[in-house]
Each structure stands twice: as C-alpha cells, then as structure tokens.
C-alpha cells in the first residue's frame, strides 16, 4: 500500500479535450475467446483513426507480453489483470484518447470495477466522469469452439490449458451492456457501424 501520497491536480478534462480536439472515453469489449473482440476492436480502431481520432487498442495477449507478464489465469490474477487494464484505459481516456480494450474479462465484478473507476475518475474538480461503453460480443460457446482460430479450445478440451473460459472457468455475461453484438449474425463492418452510430448518438465523437 502507498502512503503519504497527495493527488496533484492539473488542467480540467474539458480544457484538455479542447486542446486535443476530441473527447476521451473507453470502449470495453467483453466476450468468450474467439467471439471476435480483437477482430472487431481492430476494425473499429482503424475506422476511428481514419476519421482522424486518436484511438488505441489494449489487447489481451499483447498486454501479457509486457505490463502484465507476471500474471497467470487463476481468478486472482485475472482480477489483477483487469484492474491494471482498467487503470491504463482510464489514463488513455483521461488524456483525451479513445481507449479500446479487448479482453475476455469474464467476471462481472471486475467489469463493474472498471466502470466505477471511469465514473470516479475526476482528475480536477470540474471534470465530468469518463464515458465507459461496454460492448458484449455474444457468441454461443459451440460456435466459438468451432471457430477456434488459435486452437485454444482444442487444447482446453484436451486438458492442456487449465481454467479456460467457457470450458473450465466461468464467463459471466453482462446483463446491461451499452452495446451487444451477436457476432454469428453481424459482420465485422456492421459491428463497427453499430458502435460508431452509438458513439455519435451519445455525442462522444464531438466536443
Ligand atoms: N462477424 C464476426 N465478427 C468477429 N469475428 C468474426 C466474425 N465472423 C468470423 N469471425 C472470426 O472469428 C474469429 C474471432 O477471433 P478473435 O481473435 O477476434 O476473438 P477474441 O474474442 O479476440 O478471442 P480471444 O479472447 O482469444 O483473444 C476470427 O478468426 C474472425 O475472423
Ligand atoms: Mg482477442
């Protein structure tokens, strides 16, 4: 635990957004392995970059190469994995970027914690909460298992990967996500369009 620490205030979020000419917020993908989180998140990131927005994707395995290389896949490590990602996403959002996260994030309580972190993230007394958009990429387990692009389900069924989400570890589906995408019925392009329409509808793509 850190003690004797004092928050040092800086300029307000709206001032920073004005200089950076965009609002910062977080788009949080959740869903089973192979549901399509990384595929849709990457297409969304590209689309937003083409439109001129600063967007940056934090993705499952990639983060485990560096920041979270010390963490495993047991429940406690998954909690800590998501806690750190949420903190990093919040920093990106606070610096007027669009943070896009694509992690299985199977536990409701962890996603709720990430959401609350954004809601409370006032770096300045005038700050509004940071928007947090949960995108549930929904796909029946059988379809995800049939896709199996990384061969992980096969390994999990053979008992070679312990605590694999959907097989030997739980996935707690969101009840009220801001956006739900059924990736067996929605193309990647349509998924991106749905998300962008949602962001436009909420006024998040303008100051
Ligand atoms: N409509 C769709 N949306 C997203 N992905 C799709 C769709 N149709 C087929 N796919 C395929 O499904 C696979 C999804 O894999 P992807 O790596 O994006 O999943 P993920 O949710 O990020 O999994 P993981 O949690 O293991 O990282 C890809 O091979 C992708 O091409
Ligand atoms: Mg992925």
């Amino acid at each position: 635990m850190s003690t004797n620490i004092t928050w040092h205030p800086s300029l307000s979020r709206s001032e920073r957004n004005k200089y950076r000419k965009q609002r910062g917020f977080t788009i949080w993908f959740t869903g089973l392995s192979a549901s399509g989180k990384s595929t849709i998140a990457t297409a969304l990131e590209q689309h937003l970059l083409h439109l001129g927005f600063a967007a940056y994707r934090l993705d499952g395995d990639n983060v485990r190469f560096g920041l979270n290389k010390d963490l495993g896949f047991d429940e406690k490590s998954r909690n800590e994995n998501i806690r750190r990602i949420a903190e990093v996403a919040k920093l990106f959002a606070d610096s007027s970027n669009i943070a896009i996260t694509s992690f299985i994030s199977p536990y409701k309580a962890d996603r709720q914690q990430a959401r609350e972190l954004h809601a409370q993230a006032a770096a300045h007394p005038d700050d509004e909460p940071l928007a947090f958009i949960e995108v549930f990429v929904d796909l029946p387990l059988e379809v995800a298992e049939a896709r199996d692009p990384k061969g992980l389900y096969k390994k999990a069924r053979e008992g070679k990967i312990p605590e694999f989400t959907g097989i030997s570890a739980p996935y707690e589906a969101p009840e009220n996500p801001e956006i739900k995408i059924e990736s067996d019925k929605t193309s990647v392009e349509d998924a991106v369009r749905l998300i962008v329409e949602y962001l436009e509808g909420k006024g998040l793509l303008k100051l």
Side-chain angles (χ1 to χ4, degrees), residues 30 75 105-111 136 165 170-175:
T30 174
E75 183 168 350
S105 41
Y107 297 110
K108 248 185 228 171
D110 291 348
R111 298 191 304 264
F136 175 28
T165 303
Y171 178 75
E172 299 172 0
E175 278 153 23

Side-chain angles (χ1 to χ4, degrees), residues 72-140:
F73 287 90
D74 58 285
E75 183 168 350
K76 219 167 143 236
S77 300
R78 287 186 195 242
N79 298 150
E80 178 61 9
N81 184 44
I82 297 307
R83 189 192 69 78
R84 290 186 202 170
I85 305 309
E87 289 283 358
V88 174
K90 183 192 80 177
L91 291 175
F92 269 89
D94 190 41
S95 60
S96 305
N97 284 277
I98 301 173
I100 304 174
T101 70
S102 43
F103 299 84
I104 297 175
S105 41
Y107 297 110
K108 248 185 228 171
D110 291 348
R111 298 191 304 264
Q112 184 58 26
Q113 191 188 33
R115 183 184 288 279
E116 280 164 18
L117 205 62
H118 284 72
Q120 296 159 358
H124 187 277
D126 297 341
D127 282 351
E128 306 248 308
L130 288 164
F132 181 87
I133 295 113
E134 190 174 9
V135 182
F136 175 28
V137 185
D138 192 11
L139 189 70

Side-chain angles (χ1 to χ4, degrees), residues 1-205:
M1 287 294 277
S2 307
T3 51
N4 298 318
I5 52 173
T6 309
W7 184 264
H8 195 102
S10 65
L11 76 172
S12 73
R13 192 167 290 145
S14 56
E15 272 179 287
R16 187 189 304 279
N17 287 346
K18 215 161 65 194
Y19 288 123
R20 297 288 312 276
K21 300 185 178 61
Q22 80 171 62
R23 237 176 242 275
F25 56 90
T26 293
I27 304 174
W28 188 281
F29 284 87
T30 174
L32 290 174
S33 180
S35 60
K37 302 177 299 295
S38 296
T39 304
I40 299 169
T42 305
L44 175 67
E45 181 190 34
Q46 277 181 14
H47 184 84
L48 290 169
L49 288 169
H50 285 159
L51 290 176
F53 293 97
Y56 188 73
R57 197 169 47 87
L58 297 159
D59 196 276
D61 283 358
N62 297 6
V63 169
R64 284 180 180 271
F65 276 103
L67 177 68
N68 292 354
K69 64 176 4 165
D70 56 327
L71 299 176
F73 287 90
D74 58 285
E75 183 168 350
K76 219 167 143 236
S77 300
R78 287 186 195 242
N79 298 150
E80 178 61 9
N81 184 44
I82 297 307
R83 189 192 69 78
R84 290 186 202 170
I85 305 309
E87 289 283 358
V88 174
K90 183 192 80 177
L91 291 175
F92 269 89
D94 190 41
S95 60
S96 305
N97 284 277
I98 301 173
I100 304 174
T101 70
S102 43
F103 299 84
I104 297 175
S105 41
Y107 297 110
K108 248 185 228 171
D110 291 348
R111 298 191 304 264
Q112 184 58 26
Q113 191 188 33
R115 183 184 288 279
E116 280 164 18
L117 205 62
H118 284 72
Q120 296 159 358
H124 187 277
D126 297 341
D127 282 351
E128 306 248 308
L130 288 164
F132 181 87
I133 295 113
E134 190 174 9
V135 182
F136 175 28
V137 185
D138 192 11
L139 189 70
L141 179 65
E142 320 77 81
V143 187
E145 198 166 350
R147 279 186 186 171
D148 207 10
K150 304 184 218 163
L152 296 176
Y153 283 98
K154 184 166 178 287
K155 279 195 193 160
R157 288 288 184 199
E158 290 166 357
K160 290 180 186 155
I161 309 179
E163 299 178 276
F164 192 76
T165 303
I167 307 291
S168 45
Y171 178 75
E172 299 172 0
E175 278 153 23
N176 291 306
E178 277 74 10
I179 304 172
K180 178 169 148 174
I181 291 164
E182 295 177 311
S183 77
D184 51 344
K185 300 179 188 140
T186 316
S187 68
V188 177
E189 297 70 33
D190 282 348
V192 169
R193 195 175 43 73
L194 284 171
I195 297 166
V196 170
E197 277 172 12
Y198 178 90
L199 301 177
E200 281 170 347
K202 292 285 172 195
L204 288 166
L205 296 183

